[in-house]
Amino acid sequence: MGELAGNKHVKYILSVEKKKDSFESVVMEHLRLNGAYWGLATLDLLENLTPLNGAYWGLTILDLLGKLGSADSNEVVSWILQCQHESHLADCAGGFGGNIRRFLYLPYTLIAAQTSALFDKLDFLDINKVTDYILWNKGAVRNEDGSFSGDVWGEVYSRFSHFAICCFAILKQLDSINVENAVRYIVSCKTMDSGFGCIP
């Protein structure tokens, strides 16, 4: 099959960030945090990839991007922090939107934590504020039955449990929740074919 064209992947990912005025960028503006994470995680994977034959394909991502821990990482994390909600719903401040001034959503909160962890910049986050947001139980995120909702509208979905638990694990805050209760809820979503559904 040949070798992975890593250089082309890197150039493509880096070019996407420069096209902020394109139609595609404008219509996807509300979930830019997702795109940033996917692109940066891909660059990280490409940087560390070794083909099966054991030979590197000659790509030095550091020449194209700079180290993930460089000033570029500070710029990305600074932008991520601008996506964090401070007060418009004061009781649930601490979560993140998909971009600056976008609605608060649990999946984006996980992506903010993942991207910060990718750069080894978790100390930039106010971990207590993020934890408090996920634990806020007035119908927004954590529910008494061990489930989690994605936002203030209260939709329950098993993937939100995944997002919340992963976020707690990344932030080293798993002891903030009743893990048994969360697991019990996930198990209740098991279906007759041994898969798992969105809800029990």
Side-chain angles (χ1 to χ4, degrees):
M1 287 180 53
E3 294 181 353
L4 179 67
N7 312 43
K8 292 181 179 179
H9 288 292
V10 171
K11 287 176 184 173
Y12 171 73
I13 291 166
L14 296 177
S15 74
V16 169
E17 174 57 23
K18 293 178 174 65
K19 298 178 182 176
K20 290 184 179 166
D21 293 332
S22 70
F23 173 77
E24 294 83 0
S25 180
V26 171
V27 297
M28 301 304 278
E29 185 269 343
H30 66 287
L31 48 83
R32 187 156 301 196
L33 191 55
N34 282 7
Y37 172 71
W38 296 329
L40 293 166
T42 300
L43 291 174
D44 187 51
L45 287 169
L46 287 169
E47 184 176 7
N48 294 296
L49 185 65
T50 306
L52 293 176
N53 65 9
Y56 290 97
W57 26 260
L59 173 68
T60 304
I61 289 182
L62 301 180
D63 295 337
L64 297 166
L65 179 69
K67 294 181 180 178
L68 287 176
S70 72
D72 293 330
S73 67
N74 290 333
E75 184 178 327
V76 172
V77 174
S78 175
W79 168 72
I80 288 170
L81 291 175
Q82 293 178 61
C83 298
Q84 187 173 31
H85 284 239
E86 290 299 324
S87 64
H88 89 275
L89 290 172
D91 287 336
C92 61
F96 289 80
N99 203 340
I100 299 168
R101 296 181 301 280
R102 289 296 177 167
F103 76 92
L104 193 65
Y105 199 37
L106 181 58
Y108 298 135
T109 302
L110 171 60
I111 288 173
Q114 288 173 315
T115 307
S116 300
L118 183 68
F119 286 125
D120 196 22
K121 300 274 186 186
L122 285 173
D123 56 324
F124 278 50
L125 298 180
D126 184 334
I127 292 174
N128 291 330
K129 192 180 281 190
V130 176
T131 302
D132 288 347
Y133 159 67
I134 299 172
L135 293 176
W136 189 60
N137 63 357
K138 296 179 183 175
V141 180
R142 180 190 54 154
N143 301 306
E144 293 302 320
D145 64 356
S147 67
F148 290 85
S149 302
D151 53 37
V152 294
W153 293 280
E155 176 190 12
V156 174
Y157 195 142
S158 55
R159 71 187 181 111
F160 296 144
S161 294
H162 166 76
F163 297 143
I165 293 167
C166 284
C167 200
F168 283 128
I170 289 168
L171 300 175
K172 297 181 176 33
Q173 298 293 310
L174 268 176
D175 58 349
S176 298
I177 61 169
N178 182 333
V179 175
E180 284 184 32
N181 204 22
V183 170
R184 192 176 308 114
Y185 177 78
I186 293 167
V187 170
S188 75
C189 296
K190 191 172 183 179
T191 61
M192 57 188 289
D193 62 357
S194 296
F196 289 83
C198 303
I199 57 175

